[in-house]
Amino acid sequence: MESRAILATGFGPRKCAKIGQPLKDQISRLPDEILVYILSCLTLKEAARTSVLSKRWIDLWRSMACLDFDASKVLKKMFSISSWGRYADFVRKERCKYVEWVDKVLLQSDKSLALDDLRVAFCLDNFYGDKIHKWLQHAFARRVQRLELNLFADDDPPSSQESYTFHYELFCLSSGQSQPGYSEIHHHAQIGFKSLRALSLKSLNVTGEVLEFFLINCPFLERLVVEASSVLINLRVCGPSIALKYLENVPMLVNVWVSGNSRNLVRDVTSWLSCCLSKLEVLTLRANKFQVSQEKGIVHELPQLTNLKEFVLIASASKDHSLIGFTSLIRASPNLEKFVLKLESWWDDMVRRDRKLKKAASFPLQHLKVVELLGYYGRRSELELVEYFLENAIVLEKLIIDPRDPRNVTWPKTRKERKQEKKQEKLARICAKQQIEGLIPSHIEFSIL
Amino acid sequence: MIVLNSSDGATFEVEESVAVQSQTIKHMIEDNCADTSIPLPNVNGVTLARVLEYIKKHAEAKDDEEGLKSFDAEFVKVDQASLFEIILAANYLDIKGLLDLTCQTVADQIKDLTVEEVRAIFNIMNDFTPEEEAKLRNDHAWAFE
């Protein structure tokens, strides 16, 4: 085999025999589909820049199957403006820009090209409702497979009047009777829903009706994320019988993430998901401060989650409220193998109260092998859980403590923030060692990350 | 053992379990077109040898994530022409991992460069008039911020 010389690209010795010939354009030998594949490894802006390379490249980027309208740098800037006046101006200007950007790229794209991923993430409310509606229509006409719509409300939860609400027309299933052209769009939209595999809706109004629509019409839906929708509570009112009828058509729905504003999170979630509960394999619950304080070790009569293998609880670590109430869900999952707790703290949550440890009813957990606690800080709420698992998880193999912030922050942190963070992590690790190490029997693998 | 023939007549032997990382070869075997040897008229000997190096390594060290990562990093340190030959071969032979690796490598080269720099690296000829280019840049102003 010939030895592989690493030539400096573009500036190496001429390989052509004819003297005076320019170096060959190798990349143009690649067919369009490969060039598009390469472009899909780049961000949307980087890919669009290639349109200026040469005439061949003008529209290649338009064939990309993934459109991620990422404006995280702008969002970071936005969240760091302290003066209200400047903030309002900045937001107004940037919103217009963002909407124009999505309009330009998405609405001008070829409707017949299948779209794999569409991500729209910016703080937009119902004022832009019509625009958002058009984008969604377009996305479904292009048979989008993974759709993420994250509208970053100012408040958490957002006030329901201002949040974007789905236009009913998007879901119109009627065809034939309407005006010419209109039914054509909806025919496509109908087909488009069948390709949907993953749907993520954050900070917009998602009613029970909308969710039911997606669950009935998207037979391949595998992943459903609904976050910060203040009207989700209405799903309870629809009644379990309706949920029963429609949820039966989601054989693939095994992974659900829920966060909402119900009063008793665990009880409400299990009643809402009542008929796919027995099929669920992974459940992620996000509990805000209020909900954490409500789950005070109330014992619920819960239906069994017979297939649940992994339970992820994302909780706000506010005021060291006890999380022991959530073990009711663990008890209802006889085949649970993995439990992950992600504690999210703001700077004023970094307190360790000295209170008595709460206990939950003893109950052998027959399959629980792995327990991970992320965002550990040595608080009472965390210790309670550790003791609970050590006592009840009879086949426990691994206990992992990770003091690092579990949030996927979309922007890089400043040096100061990181320094402060490292300090707290160090403290947390020492705490974990002191508090827990002595309690662990030798057959369990214990690691502090 | 499967025998592969490159476009320039070179012959290579490889285990079937390794060769089926190529979906193209896998289908040929399934369709019984692989009696004596499989002709690959779109891949030359040098490139085929490199591709086989890749799939052999990925078959034997399947679970060694770290090892494979460093192997992959070294594997793509070749000149442009060879890299593109490998991309074309990976595409023809339908080897997803190799295609992903090589395309990502090219993408990484483009990532942080200006348009002029990309043209220089890949010797792409600019066939726009200055007015055409200016208009395009203006139409896509959002991409150039």
Side-chain angles (χ1 to χ4, degrees):
Chain A
M1 220 162 62
E2 58 182 68
S3 59
R4 297 189 295 282
I6 302 171
L7 301 173
T9 53
F11 303 111
R14 297 183 169 191
K15 291 172 277 180
C16 223
K18 298 192 184 145
I19 303 174
Q21 278 276 359
L23 292 169
K24 259 174 69 183
D25 173 3
Q26 302 276 5
I27 201 168
S28 299
R29 292 165 50 210
L30 300 177
D32 278 0
E33 32 174 71
I34 295 189
L35 291 179
V36 173
Y37 199 70
I38 294 176
L39 290 182
S40 43
C41 302
L42 301 170
T43 67
L44 184 54
K45 289 189 181 180
E46 285 165 353
R49 287 204 279 266
T50 64
S51 60
V52 184
L53 284 175
S54 79
K55 290 197 172 151
R56 169 140 186 239
W57 290 77
I58 292 185
D59 282 327
L60 281 179
W61 70 278
R62 290 191 190 277
S63 303
M64 285 202 314
C66 299
L67 290 177
D68 181 356
F69 291 96
D70 176 73
S72 45
K73 285 209 190 99
V74 173
L75 285 169
K76 169 166 193 191
K77 225 167 142 197
M78 197 180 290
F79 294 145
S80 67
I81 298 181
S82 44
S83 123
W84 171 251
R86 274 196 299 140
Y87 176 81
D89 281 336
F90 188 75
V91 170
R92 209 178 318 133
K93 205 180 72 173
E94 289 299 328
R95 269 193 186 143
C96 277
K97 260 170 85 179
Y98 188 84
V99 169
E100 233 183 80
W101 179 28
V102 180
D103 264 357
K104 214 169 192 190
V105 175
L106 184 58
L107 298 183
Q108 281 178 12
S109 64
D110 186 351
K111 256 198 177 135
S112 61
L113 274 179
L115 189 57
D116 286 349
D117 280 79
L118 173 63
R119 181 171 172 265
V120 170
F122 207 73
C123 38
L124 300 171
D125 54 25
N126 214 23
F127 181 72
Y128 294 97
D130 289 332
K131 294 273 180 190
I132 300 175
H133 176 63
K134 281 218 187 77
W135 301 340
L136 291 175
Q137 276 185 319
H138 199 97
F140 287 118
R142 287 184 65 180
R143 304 185 301 285
V144 65
Q145 289 186 27
R146 285 175 291 274
L147 174 63
E148 181 179 335
L149 191 55
N150 185 347
L151 301 183
F152 285 102
D154 285 329
D155 314 304
D156 186 352
S159 120
S160 57
Q161 285 105 336
E162 287 160 14
S163 301
Y164 171 71
T165 306
F166 283 98
H167 293 202
Y168 185 63
E169 312 158 359
L170 186 66
F171 305 118
C172 252
L173 297 180
S174 67
S175 56
Q177 318 148 319
S178 340
Q179 309 98 319
Y182 194 68
S183 61
E184 192 195 81
I185 299 175
H186 291 295
H187 180 60
H188 282 153
Q190 253 182 293
I191 298 176
F193 289 122
K194 305 256 183 270
S195 330
L196 198 61
R197 287 175 192 281
L199 181 62
S200 173
L201 304 169
K202 303 184 189 173
S203 300
L204 49 143
N205 284 339
V206 183
T207 60
E209 215 177 38
V210 167
L211 266 180
E212 278 163 19
F213 173 87
F214 282 117
L215 291 174
I216 311 169
N217 289 289
C218 308
F220 298 110
L221 193 61
E222 295 162 2
R223 206 174 121 78
L224 177 62
V225 175
V226 178
E227 226 181 271
S229 168
S230 61
V231 299
L232 190 56
I233 197 170
N234 291 337
L235 201 52
R236 270 197 301 153
V237 178
C238 293
S241 53
I242 300 179
L244 229 147
K245 186 172 168 202
Y246 296 140
L247 285 180
E248 256 169 35
N249 287 334
V250 281
M252 310 285 264
L253 190 61
V254 292
N255 185 334
V256 172
W257 171 318
V258 180
S259 85
N261 284 318
S262 41
R263 275 196 106 81
N264 294 104
L265 186 60
V266 171
R267 201 182 58 205
D268 289 343
V269 166
T270 49
S271 80
W272 168 49
L273 294 174
S274 58
C275 283
C276 62
L277 265 188
S278 53
K279 296 196 211 90
L280 276 188
E281 291 175 6
V282 180
L283 175 66
T284 307
L285 271 191
R286 186 191 203 100
N288 62 29
K289 294 184 187 192
F290 176 66
Q291 289 161 330
V292 169
S293 63
Q294 290 287 303
E295 288 293 332
K296 286 193 177 87
I298 304 168
V299 177
H300 301 289
E301 283 301 325
L302 292 177
Q304 295 279 294
L305 290 85
T306 39
N307 276 314
L308 198 68
K309 302 246 163 40
E310 192 179 323
F311 174 35
V312 181
L313 176 64
I314 306 177
S316 180
S318 130
K319 312 248 184 306
D320 204 7
H321 279 306
S322 176
L323 295 163
I324 207 84
F326 289 99
T327 56
S328 56
L329 206 81
I330 298 179
R331 283 197 293 283
S333 315
N335 290 306
L336 192 68
E337 292 174 358
K338 185 170 176 190
F339 173 69
V340 179
L341 173 67
K342 294 188 186 176
L343 277 173
E344 301 186 340
S345 334
W346 298 104
W347 63 271
D348 57 352
D349 291 323
M350 298 306 215
V351 290
R352 287 188 208 85
R353 274 172 43 195
D354 201 9
R355 61 171 173 79
K356 239 172 68 173
L357 294 177
K358 289 214 172 108
K359 275 181 150 324
S362 263
F363 188 87
L365 305 169
Q366 305 279 4
H367 294 268
L368 189 59
K369 299 205 179 80
V370 179
V371 170
E372 285 182 42
L373 303 180
L374 309 176
Y376 189 90
Y377 198 64
R379 287 167 279 231
R380 283 293 189 260
S381 50
E382 298 148 23
L383 269 179
E384 279 170 351
L385 287 177
V386 172
E387 278 203 359
Y388 173 78
F389 287 119
L390 287 177
E391 213 184 328
N392 292 290
I394 49 188
V395 294
L396 189 63
E397 287 171 14
K398 277 198 200 163
L399 175 62
I400 301 172
I401 306 281
D402 188 346
R404 293 171 295 190
D405 188 342
R407 273 172 292 218
N408 294 331
V409 183
T410 48
W411 53 78
K413 301 184 177 163
T414 65
R415 266 186 82 184
K416 192 170 165 212
E417 289 168 356
R418 262 185 282 142
K419 215 169 154 201
Q420 167 82 331
E421 227 174 70
K422 286 271 182 270
K423 221 175 91 181
Q424 283 167 343
E425 283 170 26
K426 199 168 165 203
L427 213 61
R429 279 190 197 98
I430 297 174
C431 250
K433 227 171 142 75
Q434 283 176 338
Q435 292 166 330
I436 304 180
E437 215 170 44
L439 307 170
I440 312 263
S442 51
H443 66 268
I444 295 182
E445 193 191 318
F446 175 54
S447 30
I448 304 179
L449 294 181
Chain B
M1 288 298 256
I2 297 285
V3 177
L4 304 170
N5 284 327
S6 71
S7 60
D8 44 4
T11 326
F12 298 87
E13 264 196 356
V14 65
E15 303 248 352
E16 184 176 325
S17 56
V18 171
V20 294
Q21 282 180 58
S22 152
Q23 294 295 311
T24 310
I25 296 180
K26 182 164 179 251
H27 293 143
M28 283 191 196
I29 297 176
E30 285 167 355
D31 296 343
N32 278 320
C33 305
D35 291 341
T36 45
S37 61
I38 299 184
L40 300 172
N42 291 6
V43 189
N44 67 36
V46 172
T47 311
L48 187 53
R50 301 271 311 147
V51 171
L52 290 178
E53 201 187 309
Y54 177 90
I55 58 177
K56 277 185 190 152
K57 179 70 178 182
H58 275 250
E60 58 180 48
K62 224 187 329 189
D63 299 313
D64 177 13
E65 241 190 83
E66 283 298 320
L68 282 181
K69 248 199 205 154
S70 44
F71 172 82
D72 286 351
E74 286 303 309
F75 185 80
V76 290
K77 286 186 181 159
V78 291
D79 61 288
Q80 240 185 59
S82 307
L83 188 61
F84 293 141
E85 288 290 347
I86 298 174
I87 291 183
L88 287 168
N91 186 43
Y92 171 66
L93 294 171
D94 196 356
I95 306 173
K96 188 170 188 310
L98 183 55
L99 189 60
D100 285 346
L101 172 65
T102 44
C103 285
Q104 181 69 54
T105 308
V106 178
D108 290 341
Q109 287 172 5
I110 299 181
K111 236 182 186 336
D112 296 311
L113 302 183
T114 64
V115 170
E116 291 79 10
E117 286 166 342
V118 175
R119 283 198 196 117
I121 284 216
F122 294 112
N123 304 310
I124 301 174
M125 214 191 67
N126 180 3
D127 48 2
F128 290 122
T129 68
E131 296 84 20
E132 287 171 338
E133 186 175 332
K135 179 168 187 305
L136 255 181
R137 280 178 186 262
N138 194 25
D139 285 344
H140 299 133
W142 53 266
F144 289 95
E145 292 173 348

